[in-house]
Amino acid sequence: MGMLEELLRGFTKNKSEPLDESLMEKQGRLSRSLIHATLAHRHLAERQFFVQQVAYWITIFGLLVAEASAPILDSASMWTWLTVSVVTWLIRVALFWPLTQLPPAVVKKSLGLKLIPIVIIVIACFYWIWTIHLFVGPVLTVRVLIMCIGLLSISVSMTGMWPVTPIAVVLYNVLLWGAFSANLYSNGVASLSVIVALDMGVLAVLWLNIFIAVRQLNDLLARTHEASQLVNQLEIANDKLERLKDTAYKTLDTRSEFFAGASHDFQQRLHAAKLWVLSAMAATKTHQSAESTLDRLGQEIDALQIYINNILEFARIEALDAGVKIRATEIQSLFQKLDLHFEKIAERDGVQLRFRIARITVGTDASMLLRMLENLVSNALKYTKNGVLVCARRTSRGASIEIWDQGPGIKLEARQRIFDAFHQEEVDDQGRSKGVGLGLAIVKRFATRLNYRIDVKSVMGQGTLFRILIPREFVIGPGTIENSR
């Protein structure tokens, strides 16, 4: 149970590392044979690698003690062997280090990283084959027994790597014990039958370690990997939830500001209507004519009705219940509808409203784009002195629908504020009817929905240009126009 607890602690330790969705991808059988890359398998490999190094240095120390008590190597050979022992150990540790630091998803995708265990095994096997050649002689000595015990302990710790890199485990044990057995036989230390018996005993020990101790870890490793997948999914879901929460807070703040502004504006308009009612009542009590007062009261009530309709529509837009339906739409058809809608209003106000013919077809929500143009044209007619021009043209980036007026202009610092709900710039003309302050806010919301951009250019005292910039991907070519009719 101690190993199981260590693995669980290892998993929670690595939990702070960023989990990648590629953790949920399945490795192929060959790839898993080279190295099984998950957080749980990596922690198991780290533990087993540490155990191997402990067994390695215990064996080295045992050989040093045996050599000191009964030397068979000269001083130069001894120091050479010890130097190679340290250097090869440092190389193997340096090669193993990246596997403990890189995310499992990176290891899965790199053949070079997956071959690192094989390289480590090859270096270790060459080292041990050379060491066996140095220390195993024709006589069975304590030195040979120490090496046998040391190699067995290293092999047992190596088999703990079976769930991580089975190919490396098989390669290591075959080369190591094959070289040791061949050296024993060639030096006449033991007969062939004894060597076979020794190898069978080693195989039995390794088999018991793999299929009894190590195999018990497979279920835990599988469950730990499933847990990592669930944690990964949970983190993704939490990120989405955080984004939704932020969106909800922003929406709540927007709604709060919206209804606060609407409530204040509504009370002002209702108070104005109430004053006109009181004025009419006072006129009737003094037997004066209340016709003009009642007429002004009717205008206030009409304005209040328009205001309520705009409030309801803007609230519907903010509630995101206005779906976008993209259809091929000729801009000229929208201009014709605008001309019919504003013709009487322009005549009444003595303003010249002109439309240039536009032979452009775009993919858009016709009702949304029409409402945007209605608000912009209505705004232009309200503030212009002489006339309003509406036109459309192709640009290098798509298409541009333009509304020109000859109004007082908009200050530079106010060109972003005008799109806020209930915002109205102060004007010098006191006779101009006060608007709701939602027209341009609706234009901005619809432009965002359609992925359009609104551009404002203005010169104080001369006029303002509003442009609806439609991206190139929404502009339909001439060949498509005929097919879409």
Side-chain angles (χ1 to χ4, degrees), residues 218-244:
N218 286 338
D219 292 339
L220 176 63
L221 291 171
R223 289 196 299 269
T224 306
H225 184 49
E226 291 175 0
S228 69
Q229 294 178 4
L230 293 175
V231 170
N232 186 45
Q233 293 175 346
L234 182 61
E235 289 187 351
I236 294 172
N238 284 339
D239 289 341
K240 292 181 179 178
L241 186 61
E242 285 294 328
R243 289 195 294 270
L244 289 174

Side-chain angles (χ1 to χ4, degrees), residues 180-426:
F180 186 67
S181 300
N183 201 281
L184 290 177
Y185 181 74
S186 64
N187 285 286
V189 177
S191 62
L192 182 60
S193 59
V194 173
I195 293 174
V196 171
L198 174 64
D199 289 340
M200 293 300 293
V202 171
L203 181 62
V205 171
L206 299 181
W207 181 86
L208 289 173
N209 187 55
I210 291 176
F211 291 96
I212 294 180
V214 176
R215 286 292 292 271
Q216 290 179 357
L217 295 175
N218 286 338
D219 292 339
L220 176 63
L221 291 171
R223 289 196 299 269
T224 306
H225 184 49
E226 291 175 0
S228 69
Q229 294 178 4
L230 293 175
V231 170
N232 186 45
Q233 293 175 346
L234 182 61
E235 289 187 351
I236 294 172
N238 284 339
D239 289 341
K240 292 181 179 178
L241 186 61
E242 285 294 328
R243 289 195 294 270
L244 289 174
K245 185 177 73 172
D246 292 341
T247 302
Y249 280 138
K250 290 178 181 178
T251 303
L252 183 61
D253 291 341
T254 302
R255 300 282 173 82
S256 298
E257 294 176 1
F258 169 77
F259 285 112
S263 176
H264 176 72
D265 207 15
F266 183 78
Q267 289 178 1
Q268 284 187 325
R269 292 171 182 273
L270 193 62
H271 181 68
K274 191 175 181 179
L275 290 177
W276 285 112
V277 170
L278 294 175
S279 178
M281 292 175 61
T284 55
K285 287 180 181 181
T286 58
H287 304 288
Q288 296 179 0
S289 175
E291 182 177 354
S292 60
T293 304
L294 292 175
D295 183 61
R296 187 59 187 270
L297 176 62
Q299 294 178 11
E300 288 291 338
I301 292 175
D302 289 340
L304 186 60
Q305 183 179 8
I306 295 172
Y307 175 79
I308 292 173
N309 290 336
N310 285 328
I311 288 288
L312 292 176
E313 181 174 5
F314 189 78
R316 181 177 66 85
I317 296 170
E318 287 295 298
L320 304 179
D321 61 353
V324 177
K325 298 178 181 178
I326 301 297
R327 298 286 187 274
T329 304
E330 293 182 354
I331 293 179
Q332 183 61 31
S333 66
L334 301 181
F335 284 0
Q336 292 173 352
K337 293 178 181 179
L338 291 171
D339 192 19
L340 290 174
H341 180 76
F342 288 103
E343 182 180 7
K344 297 296 183 182
I345 298 175
E347 289 181 359
R348 182 197 65 193
D349 296 340
V351 175
Q352 185 179 14
L353 176 61
R354 293 187 301 155
F355 292 88
R356 286 185 180 174
I357 297 176
R359 295 183 175 87
I360 303 175
T361 301
V362 296
T364 187
D365 186 308
S367 61
M368 283 189 178
L369 183 55
L370 179 62
R371 183 57 194 273
M372 291 170 66
L373 291 172
E374 286 177 347
N375 289 0
L376 291 173
V377 172
S378 175
N379 197 67
L381 289 173
K382 184 185 300 183
Y383 291 101
T384 192
K385 297 177 182 177
N386 298 315
V388 173
L389 172 65
V390 183
C391 61
R393 60 188 179 87
R394 292 181 182 272
T395 66
S396 59
R397 297 183 179 181
S400 172
I401 304 178
E402 303 175 354
I403 296 91
W404 299 72
D405 69 48
Q406 296 174 315
I410 304 172
K411 297 177 181 178
L412 181 62
E413 61 271 17
R415 291 176 193 175
Q416 292 300 322
R417 294 198 305 263
I418 58 176
F419 294 103
D420 296 337
F422 304 108
H423 178 80
Q424 298 182 70
E425 286 295 308
E426 296 295 331

